[in-house]
Amino acid sequence: MAIVWFRRDLRLHDHPALRWAIEDFERVVPLYVLDDALLKGRWASANRAWFLAGALESLAAAIEERGGRLAVIHGDPRSAVVAFAKSIGADAILASRDHGPYGRARDAAVTIAATGVGIPFLAGRGLLVHEPEDIRRADGGPYSLFSPFHRRWSELPLRAVFDAPGAIPTGDLAADVAATAGRIAGLLGDPRPTADPALLLEPGEPAARARLVRWAASDALRDYHIGRDRLAVDGTSRLSQDLRWGTLSPVEVVERCGGPGAGPARFRAEIAWRDFYAHLLRSEPRVRHESFKREYDAIEWQTDEALIQAWRDGRMGYPIVDAGMRQLRATGWMHNRARMLAASFLTKHLLVDWRIGEAHFMEHLVDGDPASNNGGWQWAASTGTDPQPYFRIFNPTLQGRRHDPTGDYVRRWVPELAAIPGADVHEPPPGAYLPRIVDHALARARSLAAYGSASASGRRNGPAV
Ligand SMILES: Cc1cc2nc3c(=O)[nH]c(=O)nc-3n(C[C@H](O)[C@H](O)[C@H](O)COP(=O)(O)OP(=O)(O)OC[C@H]3O[C@@H](n4cnc5c(N)ncnc54)[C@H](O)[C@@H]3O)c2cc1C
């Protein structure tokens, strides 16, 4: 009997550990552990708890349709998983390998506990397209630059994509662990999202697969290299929450979007960014707390709580940035271009520590992912792996005119400006909108000075240890 321990891979299609279990074992017990360290820890989020509940409900229903049962237990996985395995007489525990610092520490502890009682715990591929050991520099080290990483990533063949199993032979499970569909949200405390429920995407594997099928056949994928930067059009896949929770396999996403042309190629490159940041967090776990380029931790960040709250509320007087922040709060998602502008504004214009923005995004994003979010924030703050210097400071007005040329995106999320036509919405007449919280030119000069002096002191002191 094998336990398949589901974590960030809440699907039956293309699930390598599940496939292995079905092929090699007579009984397969799917397991999910409600872990307070994740549900109530540093990155707790009502929106993600809601999505998780829906994805688990859907997984439990799909398992039931195949004659199986999902076991759900509550506890610290470091002891609870092995105790459960012993209690049901399991011969092995299988899972998809997690690369985040918490997941690795947890899995190392489970490995020790499982080995102690003679039950192998084996975690393999499943969360990424390519694993960290697949993509190495010539000297064996990990890449910290995206371009060479992406070249290597694109050359590697994809592994085969597996079908969902037709039957899952779980056998009998004790009533207190067999969590039938319809009861799981209750086990999670019926989480209520902070976003508008009408604007959240449906959780679960069937909804995710429908989104993938639509996206793979769409004109938007063909034109992705252009449409991805247009804020008011549906030019991106909206698959991020499905990749975050594993209701889609990233390998299957890449395979189905494997066609020729600039659009699909650019789309696959974005999935490569996801792998890149996961590999980076594995090789440099310190980036959770520190700037990748350490010298920028010397910046004297502003701590004015009123400014920070105005940013969180989308009330800074720059319509394009305000629109993004309000989209985040209302929908639990934000367009990538808006994420870049909002993050750049906080760190460069307001000179506020990127970690404060990172935490706010993690509170709201349904796709909130420690690796991609940290990578995105450090990219925007110029403290990350991006070789571009800190001089990139987006002009919000020009960015608005370029990426929202009709003004529709701003009017949608900033209804106060609904009467201003076209791109004029990016520069409302005096008195028509909130005053600008900072002046662009002054903020830019201040940011260049602060970053410049941190960079110069980094050069003087040499690399920090
Ligand atoms: C400050 C900031 C924070 C971010 N935080 C997150 C986060 O917490 N979780 C997250 O999944 N993405 C994050 N991103 C990346 C990106 O904004 C989202 O993945 C994207 O907007 C999701 O929408 P989509 O699925 O329509 O993307 P598409 O454009 O359709 O891209 C397809 C997929 O590629 C991946 N992807 C795309 N861009 C990136 C990127 N820059 N880095 C890593 N993966 C990428 C995502 O899995 C995405 O679903 C962040 C970006 C920035 C600038």
Side-chain angles (χ1 to χ4, degrees):
M1 181 208 302
I3 290 175
V4 177
W5 178 16
F6 287 84
R7 290 101 66 95
R8 296 184 41 165
D9 46 2
L10 305 177
R11 63 178 183 269
L12 298 185
H13 290 81
D14 197 36
H15 193 299
L18 177 63
R19 160 141 177 146
W20 178 14
I22 299 277
E23 279 186 350
D24 283 8
F25 292 84
E26 274 168 35
R27 279 183 66 193
V28 174
V29 178
L31 169 70
Y32 188 83
V33 184
L34 301 172
D35 178 359
D36 284 342
L38 293 177
L39 294 169
K40 299 183 180 157
R42 180 181 180 211
W43 297 139
S45 155
N47 289 338
R48 279 199 303 288
W50 171 85
F51 193 90
L52 169 65
L56 283 174
E57 285 283 1
S58 154
L59 181 69
I63 291 170
E64 277 179 52
E65 277 164 25
R66 289 163 172 82
R69 285 284 175 280
L70 175 65
V72 175
I73 57 177
H74 194 162
D76 180 343
R78 289 172 301 183
S79 49
V81 171
V82 171
F84 176 67
K86 271 176 66 182
S87 75
I88 62 169
D91 300 300
I93 305 164
L94 311 180
S96 307
R97 186 148 65 117
D98 196 331
H99 297 291
Y102 175 78
R104 287 178 66 201
R106 174 198 59 203
D107 288 358
V110 173
T111 303
I112 292 169
T115 309
V117 294
I119 303 175
F121 170 46
L122 302 156
R125 290 169 191 267
L127 300 194
L128 301 175
V129 179
H130 298 301
E131 297 290 302
E133 65 271 18
D134 299 337
I135 305 189
R136 292 277 162 186
R137 293 191 315 246
D139 66 2
Y143 284 101
S144 55
L145 281 178
F146 179 71
S147 298
F149 173 92
H150 179 225
R151 262 195 302 281
R152 185 76 194 108
W153 188 93
S154 311
E155 287 160 8
L156 287 174
L158 287 181
R159 66 163 173 76
V161 169
F162 306 123
D163 286 337
I168 300 181
T170 302
D172 291 334
L173 277 186
D176 58 335
V177 294
T180 43
R183 279 187 41 215
I184 293 189
L187 294 174
L188 273 157
D190 281 321
R192 295 271 165 266
T194 51
D196 177 347
L199 299 176
L200 284 160
L201 297 187
E202 186 185 343
E205 188 178 14
R209 293 188 72 72
R211 283 190 278 273
L212 174 59
V213 168
R214 266 200 312 277
W215 172 248
S218 69
D219 291 345
L221 173 59
R222 192 195 55 207
D223 299 333
Y224 176 79
H225 54 305
I226 303 161
R228 66 185 297 272
D229 266 330
R230 300 296 285 272
L231 283 152
V233 301
D234 292 333
T236 68
S237 68
R238 294 299 316 266
L239 297 178
S240 51
Q241 63 292 322
D242 307 317
L243 288 161
R244 160 65 179 85
W245 290 102
T247 45
L248 287 177
S249 139
V251 175
E252 187 175 4
V253 171
V254 169
E255 199 210 34
R256 284 187 177 236
C257 301
R266 185 62 202 258
F267 176 73
R268 292 191 296 273
E270 297 308 315
I271 308 277
W273 274 107
R274 179 176 176 272
D275 276 11
F276 177 71
Y277 284 137
H279 292 198
L280 182 76
L281 185 58
R282 185 185 172 100
S283 61
E284 298 268 358
R286 67 178 183 86
V287 298
R288 272 183 307 167
H289 307 292
E290 283 178 10
S291 296
F292 177 79
K293 294 184 189 125
R294 289 185 169 100
E295 62 270 28
Y296 294 119
D297 279 337
I299 291 177
E300 282 186 35
W301 302 108
Q302 302 291 310
T303 53
D304 181 339
E305 189 49 42
L307 273 188
I308 297 170
Q309 196 54 43
W311 175 82
R312 290 190 187 114
D313 294 341
R315 302 187 62 77
M316 287 159 294
Y318 284 92
I320 195 74
V321 188
D322 292 348
M325 294 307 294
R326 296 187 198 188
Q327 180 182 36
L328 173 64
R329 193 164 274 176
T331 69
W333 182 83
M334 199 200 282
H335 192 285
N336 180 60
R337 175 59 52 178
R339 293 186 204 205
M340 286 159 57
L341 295 178
S344 170
F345 194 89
L346 183 75
T347 53
K348 304 277 178 72
H349 284 72
L350 301 184
L351 213 58
V352 169
D353 194 331
W354 57 266
R355 282 156 277 234
I356 290 178
E358 179 193 29
H360 181 73
F361 272 29
M362 282 308 278
E363 186 185 337
H364 290 275
L365 284 172
V366 179
D367 66 28
D369 170 79
S372 293
N373 193 45
N374 182 280
W377 271 95
Q378 296 225 35
W379 181 92
S382 301
T383 61
T385 56
D386 187 8
Q388 280 230 20
Y390 58 85
F391 317 134
R392 179 193 53 225
I393 299 178
F394 291 123
N395 178 327
T397 312
L398 296 181
Q399 286 281 315
R401 287 188 176 277
R402 182 174 311 151
H403 299 295
D404 182 28
T406 59
D408 288 343
Y409 178 74
V410 163
R411 277 187 298 278
R412 162 117 208 249
W413 297 111
V414 186
E416 302 97 290
L417 295 173
I420 301 185
D424 288 347
V425 80
H426 298 296
E427 284 174 280
Y433 189 49
L434 298 166
R436 293 180 170 184
I437 204 160
V438 285
D439 172 78
H440 171 67
L442 291 179
R444 183 170 186 280
R446 181 179 67 165
S447 170
L448 288 174
Y451 272 80
S453 104
S455 167
S457 78
R459 274 198 304 279
R460 269 198 308 280
N461 300 334
V465 189

